[in-house]
mmCIF file of all heavy atoms in Angstrom:
data_model
loop_
_atom_site.group_PDB
_atom_site.id
_atom_site.type_symbol
_atom_site.label_atom_id
_atom_site.label_comp_id
_atom_site.label_asym_id
_atom_site.label_seq_id
_atom_site.Cartn_x
_atom_site.Cartn_y
_atom_site.Cartn_z
ATOM 1 N N GLY Q 1 0.870 -1.263 -0.015
ATOM 2 C CA GLY Q 1 0.062 -0.016 -0.004
ATOM 3 C C GLY Q 1 0.871 1.268 0.109
ATOM 4 O O GLY Q 1 2.054 1.120 -0.275
ATOM 5 N N MET Q 2 0.242 2.446 0.365
ATOM 6 C CA MET Q 2 0.813 3.745 0.066
ATOM 7 C C MET Q 2 1.721 4.017 1.493
ATOM 8 O O MET Q 2 2.342 5.159 1.286
ATOM 9 C CB MET Q 2 -0.393 4.708 0.017
ATOM 10 C CG MET Q 2 -0.970 4.709 -1.338
ATOM 11 S SD MET Q 2 0.198 4.823 -2.724
ATOM 12 C CE MET Q 2 0.892 6.448 -2.289
ATOM 13 N N ALA Q 3 1.776 3.381 2.449
ATOM 14 C CA ALA Q 3 2.506 3.768 3.653
ATOM 15 C C ALA Q 3 3.968 3.772 3.253
ATOM 16 O O ALA Q 3 4.648 4.667 3.652
ATOM 17 C CB ALA Q 3 2.310 2.737 4.770
ATOM 18 N N GLY Q 4 4.503 2.831 2.443
ATOM 19 C CA GLY Q 4 5.983 2.763 2.151
ATOM 20 C C GLY Q 4 6.411 3.884 1.378
ATOM 21 O O GLY Q 4 7.358 4.699 1.709
ATOM 22 N N PRO Q 5 5.868 4.162 0.093
ATOM 23 C CA PRO Q 5 6.252 5.365 -0.716
ATOM 24 C C PRO Q 5 6.057 6.726 -0.001
ATOM 25 O O PRO Q 5 6.811 7.585 -0.266
ATOM 26 C CB PRO Q 5 5.365 5.326 -1.873
ATOM 27 C CG PRO Q 5 4.192 4.303 -1.560
ATOM 28 C CD PRO Q 5 4.711 3.416 -0.585
ATOM 29 N N THR Q 6 5.001 6.839 0.895
ATOM 30 C CA THR Q 6 4.759 8.138 1.689
ATOM 31 C C THR Q 6 5.883 8.292 2.713
ATOM 32 O O THR Q 6 6.416 9.447 2.620
ATOM 33 C CB THR Q 6 3.462 8.132 2.323
ATOM 34 O OG1 THR Q 6 2.384 7.949 1.390
ATOM 35 C CG2 THR Q 6 3.166 9.440 3.035
ATOM 36 N N TYR Q 7 6.202 7.250 3.328
ATOM 37 C CA TYR Q 7 7.408 7.449 4.334
ATOM 38 C C TYR Q 7 8.758 7.778 3.543
ATOM 39 O O TYR Q 7 9.471 8.565 4.097
ATOM 40 C CB TYR Q 7 7.442 6.243 5.196
ATOM 41 C CG TYR Q 7 6.717 6.274 6.506
ATOM 42 C CD1 TYR Q 7 5.754 5.307 6.763
ATOM 43 C CD2 TYR Q 7 6.850 7.371 7.402
ATOM 44 C CE1 TYR Q 7 5.023 5.359 7.920
ATOM 45 C CE2 TYR Q 7 6.215 7.328 8.537
ATOM 46 C CZ TYR Q 7 5.165 6.459 8.772
ATOM 47 O OH TYR Q 7 4.496 6.446 9.922
ATOM 48 N N GLU Q 8 8.901 7.167 2.445
ATOM 49 C CA GLU Q 8 10.176 7.387 1.677
ATOM 50 C C GLU Q 8 10.183 8.884 1.313
ATOM 51 O O GLU Q 8 11.250 9.425 1.351
ATOM 52 C CB GLU Q 8 10.139 6.486 0.382
ATOM 53 C CG GLU Q 8 10.420 5.029 0.683
ATOM 54 C CD GLU Q 8 10.509 4.233 -0.628
ATOM 55 O OE1 GLU Q 8 11.516 4.562 -1.507
ATOM 56 O OE2 GLU Q 8 9.700 3.525 -1.000
ATOM 57 N N LEU Q 9 9.014 9.295 0.771
ATOM 58 C CA LEU Q 9 8.917 10.692 0.302
ATOM 59 C C LEU Q 9 9.232 11.620 1.548
ATOM 60 O O LEU Q 9 10.024 12.587 1.420
ATOM 61 C CB LEU Q 9 7.607 11.070 -0.319
ATOM 62 C CG LEU Q 9 7.294 12.606 -0.466
ATOM 63 C CD1 LEU Q 9 8.131 13.099 -1.589
ATOM 64 C CD2 LEU Q 9 5.924 12.863 -0.775
ATOM 65 N N LEU Q 10 8.506 11.403 2.584
ATOM 66 C CA LEU Q 10 8.696 12.262 3.816
ATOM 67 C C LEU Q 10 10.150 12.278 4.243
ATOM 68 O O LEU Q 10 10.786 13.442 4.571
ATOM 69 C CB LEU Q 10 7.785 11.808 4.953
ATOM 70 C CG LEU Q 10 6.363 11.907 4.741
ATOM 71 C CD1 LEU Q 10 5.462 11.211 5.767
ATOM 72 C CD2 LEU Q 10 5.941 13.481 4.614
ATOM 73 N N LEU Q 11 10.726 11.174 4.367
ATOM 74 C CA LEU Q 11 12.055 11.118 4.973
ATOM 75 C C LEU Q 11 13.026 11.740 4.074
ATOM 76 O O LEU Q 11 14.109 12.444 4.413
ATOM 77 C CB LEU Q 11 12.450 9.633 5.207
ATOM 78 C CG LEU Q 11 11.738 8.922 6.407
ATOM 79 C CD1 LEU Q 11 11.914 7.430 6.397
ATOM 80 C CD2 LEU Q 11 12.188 9.535 7.713
ATOM 81 N N ASP Q 12 12.867 11.533 2.676
ATOM 82 C CA ASP Q 12 13.765 12.127 1.758
ATOM 83 C C ASP Q 12 13.594 13.638 1.604
ATOM 84 O O ASP Q 12 14.573 14.378 1.257
ATOM 85 C CB ASP Q 12 13.540 11.581 0.292
ATOM 86 C CG ASP Q 12 13.932 10.121 0.094
ATOM 87 O OD1 ASP Q 12 14.881 9.644 1.082
ATOM 88 O OD2 ASP Q 12 13.487 9.431 -0.852
ATOM 89 N N SER Q 13 12.497 14.156 2.173
ATOM 90 C CA SER Q 13 12.141 15.578 2.132
ATOM 91 C C SER Q 13 12.680 16.356 3.452
ATOM 92 O O SER Q 13 12.401 17.510 3.618
ATOM 93 C CB SER Q 13 10.789 15.811 1.934
ATOM 94 O OG SER Q 13 10.203 15.301 0.788
ATOM 95 N N GLY Q 14 13.269 15.415 4.445
ATOM 96 C CA GLY Q 14 13.854 16.105 5.696
ATOM 97 C C GLY Q 14 12.805 15.967 6.791
ATOM 98 O O GLY Q 14 13.118 16.347 7.978
ATOM 99 N N TRP Q 15 11.604 15.308 6.624
ATOM 100 C CA TRP Q 15 10.775 15.041 7.714
ATOM 101 C C TRP Q 15 11.317 14.112 8.614
ATOM 102 O O TRP Q 15 11.973 13.058 8.152
ATOM 103 C CB TRP Q 15 9.389 14.697 7.105
ATOM 104 C CG TRP Q 15 8.304 14.236 8.003
ATOM 105 C CD1 TRP Q 15 7.354 15.063 8.730
ATOM 106 C CD2 TRP Q 15 8.221 12.939 8.738
ATOM 107 N NE1 TRP Q 15 6.645 14.271 9.586
ATOM 108 C CE2 TRP Q 15 7.106 13.003 9.578
ATOM 109 C CE3 TRP Q 15 8.769 11.729 8.560
ATOM 110 C CZ2 TRP Q 15 6.669 11.913 10.305
ATOM 111 C CZ3 TRP Q 15 8.430 10.615 9.199
ATOM 112 C CH2 TRP Q 15 7.314 10.689 10.102
ATOM 113 N N THR Q 16 11.037 14.295 9.880
ATOM 114 C CA THR Q 16 11.164 13.218 10.902
ATOM 115 C C THR Q 16 10.023 13.016 11.849
ATOM 116 O O THR Q 16 9.037 13.926 11.727
ATOM 117 C CB THR Q 16 12.434 13.557 11.794
ATOM 118 O OG1 THR Q 16 12.118 14.659 12.732
ATOM 119 C CG2 THR Q 16 13.589 14.001 10.908
ATOM 120 N N PRO Q 17 10.027 11.854 12.524
ATOM 121 C CA PRO Q 17 8.909 11.720 13.568
ATOM 122 C C PRO Q 17 8.770 12.866 14.513
ATOM 123 O O PRO Q 17 7.574 13.056 15.062
ATOM 124 C CB PRO Q 17 9.277 10.474 14.203
ATOM 125 C CG PRO Q 17 10.005 9.701 13.166
ATOM 126 C CD PRO Q 17 10.812 10.673 12.503
ATOM 127 N N ASP Q 18 9.703 13.585 14.694
ATOM 128 C CA ASP Q 18 9.646 14.795 15.637
ATOM 129 C C ASP Q 18 9.204 16.062 14.949
ATOM 130 O O ASP Q 18 8.976 17.059 15.670
ATOM 131 C CB ASP Q 18 11.015 15.067 16.318
ATOM 132 C CG ASP Q 18 11.476 13.820 17.141
ATOM 133 O OD1 ASP Q 18 10.599 13.245 17.772
ATOM 134 O OD2 ASP Q 18 12.741 13.637 17.188
ATOM 135 N N SER Q 19 9.036 16.105 13.669
ATOM 136 C CA SER Q 19 8.630 17.240 12.935
ATOM 137 C C SER Q 19 7.086 17.549 13.284
ATOM 138 O O SER Q 19 6.408 16.687 13.741
ATOM 139 C CB SER Q 19 8.610 16.934 11.338
ATOM 140 O OG SER Q 19 9.957 16.788 11.001
ATOM 141 N N PRO Q 20 6.684 18.823 13.142
ATOM 142 C CA PRO Q 20 5.290 19.261 13.546
ATOM 143 C C PRO Q 20 4.232 18.419 12.765
ATOM 144 O O PRO Q 20 3.140 18.192 13.358
ATOM 145 C CB PRO Q 20 5.225 20.696 13.027
ATOM 146 C CG PRO Q 20 6.664 21.241 13.062
ATOM 147 C CD PRO Q 20 7.475 20.009 12.699
ATOM 148 N N ILE Q 21 4.442 18.014 11.520
ATOM 149 C CA ILE Q 21 3.444 17.261 10.868
ATOM 150 C C ILE Q 21 3.452 15.784 11.322
ATOM 151 O O ILE Q 21 4.476 15.024 11.312
ATOM 152 C CB ILE Q 21 3.768 17.285 9.365
ATOM 153 C CG1 ILE Q 21 3.506 18.541 8.684
ATOM 154 C CG2 ILE Q 21 2.831 16.219 8.623
ATOM 155 C CD1 ILE Q 21 3.876 18.634 7.261
ATOM 156 N N GLN Q 22 2.291 15.306 11.945
ATOM 157 C CA GLN Q 22 2.309 13.973 12.360
ATOM 158 C C GLN Q 22 1.831 13.019 11.340
ATOM 159 O O GLN Q 22 1.004 13.385 10.388
ATOM 160 C CB GLN Q 22 1.226 13.966 13.584
ATOM 161 C CG GLN Q 22 1.504 14.905 14.766
ATOM 162 C CD GLN Q 22 0.470 14.820 15.798
ATOM 163 O OE1 GLN Q 22 -0.516 14.121 15.736
ATOM 164 N NE2 GLN Q 22 0.590 15.679 16.915
ATOM 165 N N VAL Q 23 2.252 11.757 11.463
ATOM 166 C CA VAL Q 23 1.837 10.828 10.606
ATOM 167 C C VAL Q 23 1.376 9.516 11.363
ATOM 168 O O VAL Q 23 2.001 9.135 12.305
ATOM 169 C CB VAL Q 23 2.978 10.367 9.640
ATOM 170 C CG1 VAL Q 23 2.577 9.137 8.727
ATOM 171 C CG2 VAL Q 23 3.369 11.471 8.916
ATOM 172 N N GLU Q 24 0.152 9.037 11.048
ATOM 173 C CA GLU Q 24 -0.372 7.910 11.826
ATOM 174 C C GLU Q 24 -0.791 6.839 10.636
ATOM 175 O O GLU Q 24 -1.571 7.148 9.903
ATOM 176 C CB GLU Q 24 -1.500 8.277 12.616
ATOM 177 C CG GLU Q 24 -2.234 6.980 13.402
ATOM 178 C CD GLU Q 24 -3.357 7.461 14.245
ATOM 179 O OE1 GLU Q 24 -3.674 8.633 14.393
ATOM 180 O OE2 GLU Q 24 -4.186 6.534 14.409
ATOM 181 N N VAL Q 25 -0.301 5.619 10.927
ATOM 182 C CA VAL Q 25 -0.723 4.566 10.047
ATOM 183 C C VAL Q 25 -1.832 3.902 10.673
ATOM 184 O O VAL Q 25 -1.860 3.527 11.849
ATOM 185 C CB VAL Q 25 0.430 3.539 9.867
ATOM 186 C CG1 VAL Q 25 -0.054 2.328 8.979
ATOM 187 C CG2 VAL Q 25 1.653 4.182 9.277
ATOM 188 N N VAL Q 26 -3.088 3.737 9.904
ATOM 189 C CA VAL Q 26 -4.178 3.141 10.428
ATOM 190 C C VAL Q 26 -4.324 1.693 9.701
ATOM 191 O O VAL Q 26 -4.695 1.645 8.583
ATOM 192 C CB VAL Q 26 -5.499 3.886 10.241
ATOM 193 C CG1 VAL Q 26 -6.724 3.273 10.717
ATOM 194 C CG2 VAL Q 26 -5.285 5.253 10.790
ATOM 195 N N PRO Q 27 -3.997 0.558 10.307
ATOM 196 C CA PRO Q 27 -3.998 -0.717 9.670
ATOM 197 C C PRO Q 27 -5.355 -1.143 9.308
ATOM 198 O O PRO Q 27 -6.418 -0.734 9.900
ATOM 199 C CB PRO Q 27 -3.335 -1.613 10.761
ATOM 200 C CG PRO Q 27 -3.667 -1.098 12.045
ATOM 201 C CD PRO Q 27 -3.702 0.403 11.826
ATOM 202 N N GLY Q 28 -5.444 -2.016 8.239
ATOM 203 C CA GLY Q 28 -6.712 -2.541 7.935
ATOM 204 C C GLY Q 28 -6.550 -4.081 7.475
ATOM 205 O O GLY Q 28 -5.350 -4.568 7.627
ATOM 206 N N SER Q 29 -7.658 -4.745 7.295
ATOM 207 C CA SER Q 29 -7.575 -6.080 6.901
ATOM 208 C C SER Q 29 -7.021 -6.227 5.580
ATOM 209 O O SER Q 29 -7.396 -5.653 4.597
ATOM 210 C CB SER Q 29 -8.996 -6.720 7.023
ATOM 211 O OG SER Q 29 -8.952 -8.073 6.479
ATOM 212 N N THR Q 30 -5.901 -7.135 5.442
ATOM 213 C CA THR Q 30 -5.252 -7.246 4.193
ATOM 214 C C THR Q 30 -6.056 -8.038 3.206
ATOM 215 O O THR Q 30 -6.960 -8.822 3.541
ATOM 216 C CB THR Q 30 -3.798 -8.117 4.353
ATOM 217 O OG1 THR Q 30 -4.262 -9.312 4.808
ATOM 218 C CG2 THR Q 30 -2.937 -7.402 5.357
ATOM 219 N N ALA Q 31 -5.617 -8.020 1.916
ATOM 220 C CA ALA Q 31 -6.329 -8.762 0.842
ATOM 221 C C ALA Q 31 -6.253 -10.283 1.216
ATOM 222 O O ALA Q 31 -7.215 -11.174 1.089
ATOM 223 C CB ALA Q 31 -5.899 -8.505 -0.501
ATOM 224 N N LEU Q 32 -5.072 -10.684 1.566
ATOM 225 C CA LEU Q 32 -4.723 -12.132 1.734
ATOM 226 C C LEU Q 32 -5.617 -12.650 2.899
ATOM 227 O O LEU Q 32 -6.102 -13.762 2.936
ATOM 228 C CB LEU Q 32 -3.364 -12.464 1.923
ATOM 229 C CG LEU Q 32 -2.522 -11.898 3.104
ATOM 230 C CD1 LEU Q 32 -2.539 -12.780 4.284
ATOM 231 C CD2 LEU Q 32 -1.016 -11.798 2.638
#
């Protein structure tokens, strides 16, 4: 899903978990 590419973009842009913008992953039931 989109969690991987989004984290890649954020980290490459200089974002860190301590940055003002918060990121929360909300898990769901997988297709499998």
Side-chain angles (χ1 to χ4, degrees):
M2 290 301 304
T6 302
Y7 271 121
E8 287 184 66
L9 168 71
L10 292 170
L11 292 167
D12 289 345
S13 299
W15 173 92
T16 72
D18 295 326
S19 298
I21 294 176
Q22 298 179 4
V23 179
E24 179 182 339
V25 178
V26 181
S29 176
T30 66
L32 63 88

